[in-house]
Amino acid sequence: MGALQSLPDEPEYRDLSEKTGFSFEQIGILHKRFKQLSHNEDTLRRDDLNTIPDLACNPIRTQIIEAFFDKRNFHQNGEGTVQEISFEEFLVVMSHFRPPALNMTEEQRENIRREKLRFLFNMHDTDNDGTITLEEYRHVVEELLSRSGALGKETAKGIADAAMLEVASISVGHMEPDEFYEGITFEHFLKILKDIEIETRMNIRFLNMDTTNLCNDWRQERPQRQRFEWLERKT
Amino acid sequence: MGLVVEGTALGAPQGSHPEPWVVGSNHSQAGGGHGSSISGIQIVTFKWHHVEAPYLIALWILVAGVSKMVVELNHSLTSVIPESALLICIGWILGGIIYGADKVQTFSLTPTVFFFYLLPQVILDAGYFMPNKLFFSNMGAILVYAVIGTCWNAATVGLSLWGCWLGGAMGDIDIGLLQFLLFGSLIAAVDPVAVIAVFEEVHVNEVLFIMVFGESLLNDGVTVVLFNVFDAFVSLGGAEIDAVEIIKGIISFFVVAFGGSLVGIIFALLISLLTRCTKNIQIIEPGFIFVLGYLSYLTAEMLSLSAILSIVFCGICCQKYINANMDERSVTTVRYVMKVIANGSETIIFVFLGISAIDPAIWVWNTGFILLTLLFIFVFRFIGVFLLTWILNKYRLVPLEFIDQVVMSYGGLRGAVAYGLVAMLDENKFNEKNLMVSTTLIVVYFTVMLQGITMKPLVTWLKVKRAAVTELTLAEKIQNRTFDHMLVAIEDISGQIGHNYMRDKWHNFEERWLCWFLMKPSARKSRDYIFNIFHQLNLKDAISYVKEGERRGSLAFVRNETKADVDFNKKFRANFSEIMPDIMADNMGPDHVPLSSILQDIVPSVCLDMHELDLKMRESEDFNAHHLLQQHLYRGRKQHRHRYSRSHLETNKDENEVQEIFERTMRSRLESFKSAKMGVAPAKKIQTKHQKKDKPQKMPNGNSTDKSKNHPYGDKDFEFSEGDSASGGEAAGGSFPMRAYRAEAGIVNPAFMAEMDPMDNMQQMQQIPHAALLPQTLTSFDP
């Protein structure tokens, strides 16, 4: 995998760095990864992400992949989904997982929390009506449990229903017999998850050193190389 | 650890009394007839020496227990002063009484007793209840503090004291550099018993707690090595020490630490394998845990490895598998017995720490030595923690805050382990042994009492983040799981091998291989985490349902009118109303149920509107309330009712009963479909569909009654050793009103939900509107 093109110039990185908060080295590494995933094109498609082998056994991979193509996560007040994304949008989505800096004011921390929770919310609220309805939540739980196999849709439904009931009781309290609970709004979502310290939990470490080549060479490249060798030998 | 056996057990007196087993002729009144001339048959004899040793042991255990009771009488006192401090005070009082009576110290905490009979169970308890996820995710930091921190403490304290001695601050004592280093190494280690005792009153946040606690457990590896190495050096004499010996010392650290852990892991495997096969001897299953745990301790001790590390890792590694393999009752037994003996041992340790002080013979007062020791351990602890945290924070995702560091430094308590080690020193090699013992005692008292008392106010004053008291909601738990998967996915997408990636890989490996090897097949099926949570919630609801019914005094469980008709999806109601307009009316005959109550079934429930059914019950003569009860409440019998309690969850273990209820309800449902007479073919389709779907559901259902009872701190369910299940009770009580309406969501739940997918049944429903709508409700309308 030596055919990587040279990295873009600094000014582009500077804009991106300001926008997303990553350091130059991190942007460089992520750019390499982007090019690797998109096979050196400028845009990334769903299929490119689907080909990551390790992602195949992740129960919620469709939701994650969808999140990358969801315009709401691009911070540009757009809606709907796109078919392909550029590097900038890729970075913006990744920036949701950046750990907060050490010294932040309470307000900044709160903003970051809202952003991350908004990302989560968007991931669950697939039809973008501003609420997570029972069907959507059921879908979430089903996917989570899909790895266990035997438990099935009915259990997932039961769990989702129970969780929704809890949310209803927490957010709305006692309800009259003819009221009904439409779905979890973003405010309710914030309320339920306020005890989870999401700003510390929903982070991954973006390295400043380039270890991508190490693991990716091992994870992805070898099967292809073997395939080509076999072809060559045949001819 | 190279124990010097002191030769006397705990209860046996020292010194003034003759050997208990030799009944000499100077005891004329007693003695069971050995040696002395018998003047006649004695009807009753006082055979004290016959029972002396075990009697004293039992008596001391009783005394310790009573002291704890006395200490806990006044709760306002214990909330200010930690229990351990009060127990030490009681130990002083008792020691004073005994000294006053005997004029010599007859009882003290001997190293043998401490290390062999009192410490192992405390550590096993710590390991068994360790929140694994939290522990391993912070393992790097914990190891840094345990290894580097302890070495730093030992070196600095030892060297500073030596420096001060050279400077003449301590007057004239017969001691050398090596002895100072040895003293430093045994006084440097943070003590797990003291940490548990003090931190359990102060509920700090979980990361902070696991740091201090984990450090106190893992530093034994270092302490053992340092102690042995310096002890050997002192024996060799200063001249023999060269580079080879030092290198050997360093190597021995790795051997001792990793060897000890390995022994523990091997025993954990043994325990897990054993519990896999103990299905037929469930009554003594719990015993194996304790015996094998103790054996892991002794085995490591025998091989001169770190015994504490061994038993800790034994507890840590086996908890998951034995909780899954063993019967529910055995799990409960293990948990409770573990707590009893750990608490009991802790109490005895502290009482005897107090008693051991009342002995003028051991007291050597050297102001300089003592004060300097106190100063140095305090100061160097702070310096060490801050230094290491500064380094660690560069690599941690979530840096440790300043306040947490302060509490961590302040929480470096020394305790009985230090005392045990110092009491093991050989007087002949260490001329100043008494001085060291006195100093150690004073250090222990200082940390446990003063730092223990001031810990809580300090934590409150510094506004340290406290542990969350409330239980996580189901939604939060689902979100937690989502996070884990999400983080792994993002790491995969960004192409990095990170923490989450590693954890995921380990998880996969563990699920595939370890669980297959170590878990019973039936336990493997019900492993899924979220399902277990759901299951637990259902059980809690069932229990509160029963309680509520009992409270109202009625077997029929009449519920109030204002039920929360929490209808999630208006869509369903709208859809139904289009298709079946005639059923919307509420006033139908006895065997029709209003639509609103049916829609409550969107929330899974066995039977919904009990009140309405109740009315209808009284109307239709052939309805049997008992039959209703039998269907919906499996344990209506007296002897089981009162055993349900908030603090320990007794699940319905009777699989047969569950299945029987299920079959009965299925049968009644089938009959009701037949009686609907809406066309044989579609009705049959639903029947078979239900049968097929429900039968496989039975398996995980029935067998999932034995599930893992984990108390992962990471899920904010952490239970401190005293068991604060009371708070769990209150939390549940608060959410009761909502839970009650889901209360019928009992164990049979997932099976009954089989047919409640309105979307699937839409087609059939259009053809069979009537029958299809009455799946569950008709169970009660059994003619």
Side-chain angles (χ1 to χ4, degrees):
Chain A
M1 197 60 191
L4 282 181
Q5 293 158 9
S6 58
L7 303 175
D9 303 342
E10 290 289 303
E12 289 181 31
Y13 275 19
R14 212 168 293 136
D15 289 334
L16 289 173
S17 178
E18 269 174 53
K19 195 169 174 195
T20 57
F22 283 119
S23 72
F24 287 172
E25 296 87 11
Q26 290 169 340
I27 295 182
I29 295 168
L30 287 173
H31 199 125
K32 265 202 219 169
R33 178 63 174 167
F34 182 83
K35 286 206 176 297
Q36 196 177 46
L37 288 174
S38 65
H39 308 290
N40 281 331
E41 292 174 33
D42 286 328
T43 57
L44 195 66
R45 277 187 216 84
R46 282 191 183 78
D47 294 330
D48 298 325
L49 286 178
N50 271 325
T51 55
I52 302 177
D54 288 315
L55 213 50
C57 48
N58 197 315
I60 57 171
R61 81 172 160 287
T62 33
Q63 289 188 30
I64 302 269
I65 293 180
E66 273 311 306
F68 272 90
F69 293 89
D70 188 343
K71 270 198 190 164
R72 290 174 292 175
N73 291 332
F74 296 158
H75 291 183
Q76 285 164 357
N77 296 327
E79 280 186 8
T81 59
V82 292
Q83 288 306 313
E84 39 186 51
I85 54 172
S86 67
F87 178 57
E88 184 176 330
E89 287 150 350
F90 181 76
L91 259 193
V92 169
V93 173
M94 280 293 191
S95 72
H96 284 103
F97 291 91
R98 217 168 45 82
L102 257 156
N103 314 316
M104 301 196 87
T105 63
E106 200 47 51
E107 200 190 309
Q108 283 173 322
R109 211 176 276 275
E110 187 57 36
N111 280 340
I112 290 195
R113 281 198 74 236
R114 279 188 84 97
E115 228 179 76
K116 294 193 197 248
L117 282 172
R118 188 81 225 182
F119 181 84
L120 265 185
F121 189 80
N122 290 342
M123 213 167 75
H124 294 330
D125 182 22
T126 44
D127 61 359
N128 199 14
D129 60 355
T131 56
I132 304 179
T133 56
L134 183 63
E135 270 307 304
E136 289 166 346
Y137 204 68
R138 277 182 183 167
H139 185 66
V140 171
V141 177
E142 257 174 51
E143 290 214 325
L144 264 184
L145 290 183
S146 58
R147 208 150 71 161
S148 342
L151 295 174
K153 280 186 80 172
E154 292 77 17
T155 317
K157 240 185 293 193
I159 294 173
D161 295 343
M164 281 290 270
L165 189 56
E166 252 182 13
V167 172
S169 68
I170 293 175
S171 331
V172 186
H174 184 74
M175 296 174 56
E176 295 307 313
D178 53 357
E179 269 184 69
F180 58 91
Y181 188 62
E182 288 257 20
I184 311 178
T185 62
F186 186 52
E187 292 308 319
H188 291 169
F189 197 69
L190 285 178
K191 196 168 163 188
I192 311 162
L193 296 183
K194 71 170 159 48
D195 285 331
I196 298 183
E197 295 167 354
I198 191 172
E199 67 267 18
T200 49
R201 289 206 53 177
M202 190 167 136
N203 299 318
I204 67 169
R205 191 195 312 275
F206 288 100
L207 301 169
N208 284 331
M209 290 184 313
D210 193 1
T211 56
T212 53
N213 280 334
L214 296 167
C215 60
N216 289 327
D217 281 344
W218 178 70
R219 286 181 348 180
Q220 281 187 311
E221 290 301 319
R222 212 175 308 139
Q224 287 177 14
R225 221 181 290 140
Q226 284 174 347
R227 205 183 313 140
F228 292 142
E229 280 171 16
W230 177 83
L231 274 175
E232 282 169 5
R233 226 178 295 129
K234 209 180 174 202
T235 53
Chain B
M1 240 187 244
L3 289 183
V4 173
V5 177
E6 293 261 333
T8 54
L10 171 62
Q14 301 170 3
S16 54
H17 295 263
E19 293 302 314
W21 312 122
V22 174
V23 181
S25 47
N26 28 353
H27 294 275
S28 53
Q29 80 253 39
H34 285 92
S36 53
S37 52
I38 308 171
S39 44
I41 294 188
Q42 298 179 298
I43 298 175
V44 172
T45 50
F46 185 69
K47 297 200 263 186
W48 169 245
H49 290 282
H50 197 57
V51 298
E52 186 169 355
Y55 202 95
L56 282 173
I57 293 174
L59 204 60
W60 272 114
I61 296 178
L62 180 65
V63 164
V66 169
S67 332
K68 189 168 172 116
M69 195 171 72
V70 164
V71 160
E72 293 287 345
L73 274 178
N74 191 347
H75 199 66
S76 57
L77 187 63
T78 45
S79 55
V80 174
I81 307 180
E83 197 186 275
S84 40
L86 291 169
L87 285 170
I88 293 183
C89 297
I90 292 191
W92 287 338
I93 299 172
L94 286 173
I97 296 174
I98 295 176
Y99 183 74
D102 280 346
K103 295 291 178 282
V104 80
Q105 185 187 57
T106 39
F107 302 102
S108 76
L109 187 64
T110 54
T112 321
V113 168
F114 176 68
F115 282 114
F116 281 163
Y117 302 116
L118 291 177
L119 189 62
Q121 45 265 42
V122 179
I123 309 293
L124 183 62
D125 172 71
Y128 183 73
F129 288 103
M130 177 75 78
N132 274 357
K133 190 165 174 194
L134 193 63
F135 181 69
F136 284 110
S137 51
N138 287 308
M139 182 64 124
I142 293 177
L143 275 176
V144 165
Y145 286 119
V147 176
I148 303 182
T150 311
C151 288
W152 158 267
N153 277 333
T156 50
V157 169
L159 289 174
S160 322
L161 283 176
W162 178 62
C164 292
W165 173 68
L166 284 179
M170 294 175 205
D172 196 17
I173 47 179
D174 180 11
I175 202 167
L177 168 64
L178 286 171
Q179 302 193 2
F180 273 119
L181 284 175
L182 178 65
F183 181 69
S185 68
L186 63 88
I187 203 89
V190 179
D191 184 67
V193 181
V195 164
I196 297 176
V198 169
F199 271 80
E200 111 187 298
E201 316 270 334
V202 187
H203 297 252
V204 294
N205 67 68
E206 47 190 37
V207 175
L208 180 54
F209 175 76
I210 203 73
M211 289 288 184
V212 184
F213 188 52
E215 181 197 339
S216 69
L217 286 174
L218 294 188
N219 65 17
D220 180 66
V222 181
T223 312
V224 164
V225 171
L226 286 178
F227 186 82
N228 285 336
V229 161
F230 284 124
D231 200 29
F233 281 175
V234 167
S235 311
L236 284 175
E240 301 285 330
I241 301 169
D242 54 358
V244 180
E245 300 295 326
I246 296 180
I247 291 178
K248 277 207 271 185
I250 296 177
I251 294 180
S252 76
F253 163 68
F254 288 103
V255 170
V256 162
F258 287 109
S261 318
L262 197 64
V263 170
I265 293 176
I266 292 176
F267 271 89
L269 285 175
L270 278 175
I271 295 181
S272 314
L273 280 176
L274 202 58
T275 52
R276 201 185 153 166
C277 322
T278 52
K279 185 158 185 245
N280 298 324
I281 47 164
Q282 275 173 358
I283 198 71
I284 60 166
E285 253 183 336
F288 285 118
I289 317 295
F290 296 104
V291 165
L292 279 170
Y294 192 48
L295 276 178
S296 77
Y297 185 86
L298 292 178
T299 311
E301 187 67 39
M302 175 178 76
L303 300 171
S304 76
L305 304 170
S306 166
I308 291 185
L309 279 183
S310 164
I311 204 172
V312 160
F313 277 99
C314 182
I316 286 179
C317 297
C318 76
Q319 35 163 281
K320 177 175 172 187
Y321 304 107
I322 61 181
N323 284 339
N325 279 343
M326 288 202 300
D327 180 53
E328 186 69 33
R329 287 166 298 193
S330 302
V331 173
T332 313
T333 308
V334 168
R335 288 180 52 214
Y336 272 97
V337 172
M338 194 85 83
K339 287 294 176 201
V340 167
I341 57 177
N343 261 300
S345 301
E346 211 182 284
T347 314
I348 298 177
I349 290 175
F350 282 115
V351 169
F352 269 85
L353 268 180
I355 294 179
S356 310
I358 312 297
D359 182 10
I362 62 164
W363 282 98
V364 177
W365 185 269
N366 185 321
T367 321
F369 193 83
I370 293 176
L371 286 180
L372 284 171
T373 311
L374 280 174
L375 178 71
F376 287 141
I377 58 170
F378 198 71
V379 165
F380 284 118
R381 169 83 183 157
F382 268 84
I383 297 178
V385 167
F386 277 85
L387 204 64
L388 288 174
T389 316
W390 177 73
I391 299 177
L392 274 176
N393 274 343
K394 293 187 199 257
Y395 299 104
R396 272 179 72 84
L397 208 52
V398 180
L400 282 165
E401 298 171 19
F402 174 75
I403 292 185
D404 284 345
Q405 294 171 40
V406 169
V407 177
M408 224 188 323
S409 324
Y410 200 69
L413 311 170
R414 273 71 173 177
V417 174
Y419 175 74
L421 285 173
V422 85
M424 261 169 38
L425 295 176
D426 186 359
E427 285 104 15
N428 305 322
K429 288 191 289 182
F430 294 86
N431 295 330
E432 296 293 337
K433 175 181 169 178
N434 283 332
L435 173 61
M436 292 194 203
V437 170
S438 321
T439 315
T440 310
L441 276 176
I442 299 217
V443 166
V444 170
Y445 295 149
F446 184 82
T447 55
V448 172
M449 301 180 90
L450 252 98
Q451 283 181 243
I453 295 177
T454 50
M455 181 68 80
K456 210 169 184 182
L458 183 76
V459 162
T460 324
W461 178 57
L462 288 177
K463 298 196 193 52
V464 175
K465 237 180 333 186
R466 306 292 271 258
V469 197
T470 53
E471 225 175 85
L472 279 188
T473 58
L474 187 58
E476 281 175 310
K477 291 183 182 170
I478 292 178
Q479 282 310 124
N480 278 342
R481 268 294 167 266
T482 317
F483 280 156
D484 293 337
H485 292 306
M486 197 166 60
L487 293 177
V488 173
I490 297 289
E491 275 192 4
D492 287 335
I493 292 180
S494 65
Q496 300 178 95
I497 295 183
H499 198 62
N500 295 297
Y501 175 77
M502 285 300 171
R503 195 158 33 93
D504 200 51
K505 282 283 167 279
W506 162 254
H507 207 64
N508 288 340
F509 165 75
E510 200 229 343
E511 263 180 44
R512 260 186 86 191
W513 298 104
L514 289 181
C515 289
W516 169 82
F517 185 50
L518 297 173
M519 271 202 212
K520 279 198 293 212
S522 54
R524 256 181 270 146
K525 284 205 189 84
S526 56
R527 255 183 305 131
D528 191 78
Y529 174 70
I530 293 197
F531 181 68
N532 286 338
I533 303 294
F534 178 61
H535 188 66
Q536 281 183 39
L537 283 175
N538 283 341
L539 290 170
K540 284 185 189 167
D541 290 339
I543 288 166
S544 36
Y545 188 49
V546 173
K547 271 195 186 161
E548 178 69 11
E550 286 172 25
R551 195 171 66 82
R552 306 234 180 130
S554 155
L555 272 187
F557 298 99
V558 176
R559 290 152 72 215
N560 56 14
E561 298 292 344
T562 58
K563 48 196 175 300
D565 199 337
V566 184
D567 191 354
F568 294 129
N569 214 323
K570 204 178 183 184
K571 270 196 289 186
F572 293 147
R573 181 178 281 173
N575 287 336
F576 286 176
S577 64
E578 287 165 43
I579 295 166
M580 293 142 301
D582 50 331
I583 301 194
M584 283 302 281
D586 266 24
N587 47 355
M588 308 283 288
D591 44 359
H592 292 287
V593 184
L595 196 61
S596 54
S597 42
I598 293 169
L599 287 174
Q600 268 187 330
D601 278 352
I602 306 283
V603 178
S605 57
V606 169
C607 175
L608 46 144
D609 192 2
M610 294 294 269
H611 185 63
E612 302 219 31
L613 288 178
D614 205 21
L615 291 176
K616 272 129 197 147
M617 262 165 23
R618 295 189 198 119
E619 285 171 24
S620 64
E621 257 131 17
D622 8 41
F623 191 81
N624 195 352
H626 185 59
H627 179 64
L628 173 72
L629 197 70
Q630 267 190 313
Q631 283 190 333
H632 298 289
L633 213 42
Y634 0 94
R635 283 222 202 268
R637 280 157 281 189
K638 271 199 290 270
Q639 69 263 35
H640 292 288
R641 223 180 262 173
H642 298 288
R643 247 194 254 147
Y644 285 130
S645 83
R646 236 338 167 171
S647 55
H648 66 113
L649 211 54
E650 252 191 327
T651 62
N652 176 19
K653 292 161 290 297
D654 203 331
E655 305 176 12
N656 297 334
E657 197 167 87
V658 173
Q659 280 195 12
E660 187 196 302
I661 294 169
F662 176 76
E663 275 163 17
R664 211 183 302 132
T665 30
M666 273 305 300
R667 224 179 300 131
S668 56
R669 207 184 300 142
L670 290 177
E671 281 163 32
S672 67
F673 278 128
K674 282 187 204 146
S675 67
K677 292 183 199 130
M678 278 301 196
V680 181
K684 263 205 192 132
K685 221 198 306 186
I686 293 184
Q687 285 172 23
T688 53
K689 176 178 157 187
H690 293 159
Q691 274 182 322
K692 278 217 200 74
K693 253 200 206 173
D694 292 339
K695 285 277 184 298
Q697 290 271 324
K698 251 198 291 184
M699 270 311 289
N701 239 350
N703 290 335
S704 58
T705 49
D706 54 310
K707 54 170 177 24
S708 60
K709 256 234 202 101
N710 48 350
H711 289 255
Y713 205 133
D715 282 323
K716 315 221 176 190
D717 269 343
F718 191 67
E719 202 176 38
F720 286 88
S721 61
E722 294 295 357
D724 49 352
S725 42
S727 60
E730 273 117 39
S735 64
F736 167 70
M738 285 319 288
R739 289 287 170 84
Y741 305 119
R742 298 191 291 126
E744 315 93 340
I747 286 189
V748 293
N749 220 354
F752 281 138
M753 292 154 56
E755 67 275 6
M756 265 324 287
D757 193 354
M759 301 315 260
D760 290 60
N761 287 351
M762 246 352 165
Q763 274 67 39
Q764 285 110 10
M765 282 194 167
Q766 287 179 14
Q767 299 152 28
I768 320 161
H770 195 78
L773 272 184
L774 305 173
Q776 280 120 301
T777 64
L778 281 185
T779 56
S780 46
F781 285 83
D782 213 353

